[in-house]
Amino acid sequence: MTKTFKKLSWLITCLLLLSIALIGCSSDSDKETKSASGEAVTKKGGNLHVAIDAQPPTLDPQISTTTATKEIARHIFETLLVLNPDYEVQPMLAESYDVSKDGLTYTFKLRQGIKFHNGKEMTAEDVVASMNRWLTKSTRAANAIGKGQFEEVDKYTVQLKIEKPTIGVLDVIASTNQFAGIMPKEIIDNAPKDGITEIVGTGPFKFVEWKPDQYIKVAKYDDYKPVDAPSDGLAGKKEALVDNIIFEVVTDGSTRLGGITTGQYQIAYQIPSDNYEQISSSSDMKPILNLYGGLSFVFNKKQGPFTDEKLRQAVNTGINNKDVLIGAFGNKKFYRLDNGLMYKDQKKWYTDAGKEYYNQNNKEKAKQLLSESGYKGEEIRILTTRDYEYSYNSAVVLKEELEAIGIKVKLDVVDWATLTSKRNDPAAWDAFITGFSPVSLPTQTLPLDPNYAGWPADEKLQQFTEQIRTAASDKDAYAKWEEMQEYAWKEYVPYIKIGDYYTFHVYRNNEIKGNTYFEGMILWNTSLTK
């Protein structure tokens, strides 16, 4: 072999080794990029596929109380204030806030340079228009704040002026349910009564497309300006680390399970509880159990048989709450028995007042109350849906429980969007099943609101609400809340909180990281790992 050939052979070998090394480096960098210091750098880009269990009726967060709306809209719209996981108020679109000594004026300094998804800068006129609309649309806001009005002070300052000093105004503005999303003034001015048609916010993701019954797509907003603070629940820094989130509407639980198992989705909402052990034993998937709220049986108190207080008391006395929860969720990891209308996790407001009237399971006493009521044997219509399996399953058990004390029952099973529409018609139902997620203040509790479906237009309840709202201190407000909860369980019974329950979501832990949860999934700061 000549020297020239040997040199050529050595050169080819070196080139081959270098090629292999480069291929290896390229493969490693696809999985995880490293900085010059050797620290892992979060991968950016790609599409995040999320299987949701119900289609939202709207993406307008100011008019809808549904979870499906909240879960998606929170990625598009932002609020002046937000809550951290300890339910402490933190600034978001507001840079700072101040309360006058008399408690009647709230001043908000706005962050500057915030752009809506249409490119327009957010200023005071947009905030005033958005917040005043929210005050009229949100029954939670009206109950908690009373009469109030936002006004523009200058381009980056707004004020809320109220009539009476009120407990928890900032908490309500920061609340996650039917939240006060900020939108451009011109969209607010032209919004139809049933909700905005232009989906434009300031969040880390912008709306792209909605194909009904198929998917809702949002995309990274390149001009998003995050808060300069550590991420903490809904507070702090938000960053869109994926190019797109596709919320795919998959109403069948087994189909969501199949899709998360095969990798079609990186996250799947509301997996059937009997699949918990399967998911827990998987190396590719991880279960997420978080308190959702209270599974509740809401009575129609405007029209029909349940306008009779004695009949409502009979139902509450006779049912076995534990059996309903077992029927709804199966696995005891997914529920807890508790009568608090505010939750144990909310230490400031939690009380077990009225607990002796919870989960009585006293069929004989219930039958006696039934005989004292004006019930004439008419058929009771329970509105429910299969879009949330726990809703349908609990309806089946409740039907059996009510029939056991002598009440005739018919289940009216519809899709979720129809249920949310139909429950606004008092002639269309007698009771319905839903879940109520936590709220910041007792005065925000929807089923105690006289304007909410169920219509608890009770003078004593309204007096309690006003006394809580205008209490001189948190201590005085808490004392009135204890009285109000006792009254709700013992006498008026506007609804029955069956028990607390937990959501069962699943994510592929080998494909994504950074996803968190606080009163709903948080998908900013979430990235794909492959």
Side-chain angles (χ1 to χ4, degrees), residues 340-477:
L341 304 184
M342 299 290 282
Y343 299 90
K344 285 183 177 179
D345 315 72
Q346 301 169 297
K347 296 178 182 178
K348 181 178 178 180
W349 292 107
Y350 175 76
T351 174
D352 64 1
K355 65 180 179 181
E356 61 269 37
Y357 301 98
Y358 172 74
N359 192 31
Q360 297 174 68
N361 189 27
N362 189 331
K363 298 291 191 292
E364 292 308 311
K365 184 179 177 182
K367 289 176 182 177
Q368 178 60 38
L369 287 167
L370 186 66
S371 68
E372 295 172 9
S373 75
Y375 180 65
K376 304 298 183 185
E378 57 267 48
E379 192 172 64
I380 298 295
R381 298 160 299 168
I382 298 178
L383 193 58
T384 187
T385 180
R386 280 190 178 273
D387 287 357
Y388 296 101
E389 278 300 312
Y390 66 81
S391 174
Y392 176 75
N393 293 341
S394 57
V396 171
V397 180
L398 279 165
K399 181 177 186 292
E400 295 172 356
E401 293 283 315
L402 268 61
E403 288 175 341
I405 62 174
I407 299 174
K408 295 178 182 177
V409 176
K410 176 185 178 183
L411 299 185
D412 183 5
V413 185
V414 297
D415 63 78
W416 176 243
T418 300
L419 188 151
T420 61
S421 174
K422 198 170 184 177
R423 71 186 181 192
N424 293 319
D425 178 5
W429 58 280
D430 298 308
F432 74 90
I433 296 163
T434 192
F436 292 109
S437 54
V439 293
S440 305
L441 295 166
T443 51
Q444 291 178 282
T445 306
L446 268 182
L448 300 179
D449 183 333
N451 298 308
Y452 180 71
W455 305 282
D458 177 69
E459 185 177 347
K460 195 168 181 179
L461 279 182
Q462 292 175 49
Q463 287 174 352
F464 278 127
T465 296
E466 184 65 15
Q467 289 167 346
I468 293 168
R469 184 192 297 136
T470 58
S473 66
D474 285 350
K475 182 179 179 180
D476 291 343

Side-chain angles (χ1 to χ4, degrees), residues 47 206-210 215-219 244-247:
N47 296 326
K206 62 182 180 180
F207 173 78
V208 175
E209 184 182 20
W210 183 349
Y215 64 81
I216 295 169
K217 181 179 180 181
V218 299
N244 302 289
I245 305 176
I246 299 95
F247 295 93

Side-chain angles (χ1 to χ4, degrees), residues 128-328:
V128 168
S130 297
M131 295 305 293
N132 283 335
R133 176 180 185 257
W134 173 71
L135 286 174
T136 63
K137 294 291 184 182
S138 170
T139 54
R140 297 173 188 268
N143 260 358
I145 295 175
K147 292 182 179 179
Q149 189 76 13
F150 278 83
E151 299 174 357
E152 179 177 345
V153 177
D154 59 42
K155 188 175 182 181
Y156 299 110
T157 309
V158 300
Q159 287 184 336
L160 167 63
K161 294 186 176 180
I162 59 178
E163 291 185 338
K164 301 176 184 177
T166 301
I167 291 287
V169 169
L170 297 175
D171 299 83
V172 181
I173 293 172
S175 63
T176 65
N177 298 283
Q178 200 172 357
F179 66 84
I182 304 300
M183 311 170 195
K185 179 180 184 298
E186 58 272 19
I187 290 179
I188 295 292
D189 290 344
N190 296 309
K193 186 177 180 180
D194 57 351
I196 58 170
T197 54
E198 296 178 77
I199 314 298
V200 178
T202 61
F205 291 92
K206 62 182 180 180
F207 173 78
V208 175
E209 184 182 20
W210 183 349
K211 286 200 171 183
D213 301 315
Q214 296 183 50
Y215 64 81
I216 295 169
K217 181 179 180 181
V218 299
K220 176 182 178 180
Y221 180 46
D222 291 329
D223 289 332
Y224 179 70
K225 187 176 180 180
V227 171
D228 186 17
S231 180
D232 187 24
L234 296 175
K237 183 180 179 181
K238 302 177 185 177
E239 186 177 6
L241 297 176
V242 296
D243 294 325
N244 302 289
I245 305 176
I246 299 95
F247 295 93
E248 304 193 34
V249 181
V250 186
T251 57
D252 180 68
S254 60
T255 304
R256 292 193 300 277
L257 175 65
I260 192 72
T261 302
T262 62
Q264 181 179 356
Y265 317 120
Q266 283 82 43
I267 300 176
Y269 284 24
Q270 297 290 4
I271 296 299
S273 57
D274 54 5
N275 298 112
Y276 179 77
E277 301 304 330
Q278 172 192 346
I279 299 297
S280 297
S281 63
S282 170
S283 60
D284 298 330
M285 297 177 288
K286 188 172 181 179
I288 313 169
L289 291 184
N290 286 281
L291 174 69
Y292 177 86
L295 179 67
S296 301
F297 191 52
V298 181
F299 298 112
N300 182 347
K301 295 164 292 296
K302 180 180 282 190
Q303 186 173 330
F306 284 127
T307 56
D308 188 328
E309 187 176 277
K310 282 283 187 184
L311 181 58
R312 302 196 300 270
Q313 291 175 4
V315 173
N316 184 50
T317 301
I319 65 171
N320 185 327
N321 296 52
K322 185 176 181 179
D323 281 354
V324 178
L325 291 168
I326 291 171

